[in-house]
Amino acid sequence: MRIERRDWIFIAVVVIVLVVFIGISGKEKTTPVPNDQMHRIVYETAFRNAPAPDAPIFKRAFYKPDKKGAEAYCEPCHKEKGVQFPANHPSKNRCLFCHKLKR
Ligand code: HEC
Ligand code: HEC
């Protein structure tokens, strides 16, 4: 089979999409929320309505942890314990968009 100009354009588009995709996913290196005693309240709040492991599949598929509820605890406690934000820390609302929960 001969590879024509049109095919090369298609291949180029696929390669560009892949490169962009990998570039974006590489940025997900933000420190996750530690799953320790200190952060237990965060995990408990976020997953307090979690469906049981034997719940119907559609219930588990549509389940979302209560991230907004959990985020309410982050800043007050970090302030109280004197946890420093790095100097160039980005805008601080919605912590859990960037700092993922471990599971
Ligand atoms: C009850 C107190 C408390 C709450 C609530 C809390 N933190 Fe923390 N966090 C700490 C303390 C203390 C540290 C310092 C390191 C340690 O002792 O775990 C810390 C460290 C961290 C770190 C750095 C971890 C590392 O590996 O360097 C991240 C990221 C973090 N917290 C994110 C969050 C986010 C996001 C939330 C809210 C969803 C949150 N924390 C809620 C007390 C808290
Ligand atoms: C827009 C994304 C974003 C949001 C929102 C955000 N952070 Fe961060 N945070 C970062 C990045 C990027 C870093 C620096 C890279 C790293 O160490 O993870 C960082 C670093 C930190 C660190 C130091 C981690 C370490 O390893 O030393 C703590 C603690 C922290 N953030 C807490 C919070 C808390 C609490 C909130 C919510 C009030 C929050 N962040 C919201 C992106 C974000």
Side-chain angles (χ1 to χ4, degrees):
M1 191 188 87
R2 237 178 70 82
I3 300 182
E4 293 187 39
R5 200 177 121 83
R6 263 213 331 237
D7 302 322
W8 281 117
I9 292 173
F10 177 74
I11 292 167
V13 168
V14 170
V15 168
I16 289 167
V17 168
L18 275 179
V19 166
V20 168
F21 195 76
I22 292 166
I24 290 171
S25 59
K27 286 210 181 94
E28 265 228 36
K29 296 261 157 55
T30 313
T31 330
V33 182
N35 193 353
D36 54 15
Q37 197 59 27
M38 189 63 77
H39 290 87
R40 214 183 56 184
I41 187 159
V42 170
Y43 284 83
E44 274 178 1
T45 307
F47 294 117
R48 68 174 184 260
N49 293 323
D54 58 349
I57 180 90
F58 73 90
K59 253 196 162 164
R60 282 181 286 142
F62 288 104
Y63 169 70
K64 290 257 187 299
D66 180 11
K67 293 192 177 170
K68 274 197 172 158
E71 278 161 351
Y73 295 103
C74 314
E75 255 201 296
C77 178
H78 277 206
K79 212 176 228 162
E80 186 196 311
K81 308 268 185 210
V83 182
Q84 296 286 325
F85 288 103
N88 55 351
H89 194 276
S91 140
K92 286 202 285 281
N93 39 39
R94 304 307 322 265
C95 315
L96 295 178
F97 272 152
C98 304
H99 299 280
K100 302 292 184 202
L101 294 170
K102 298 184 195 171
R103 246 252 142 141

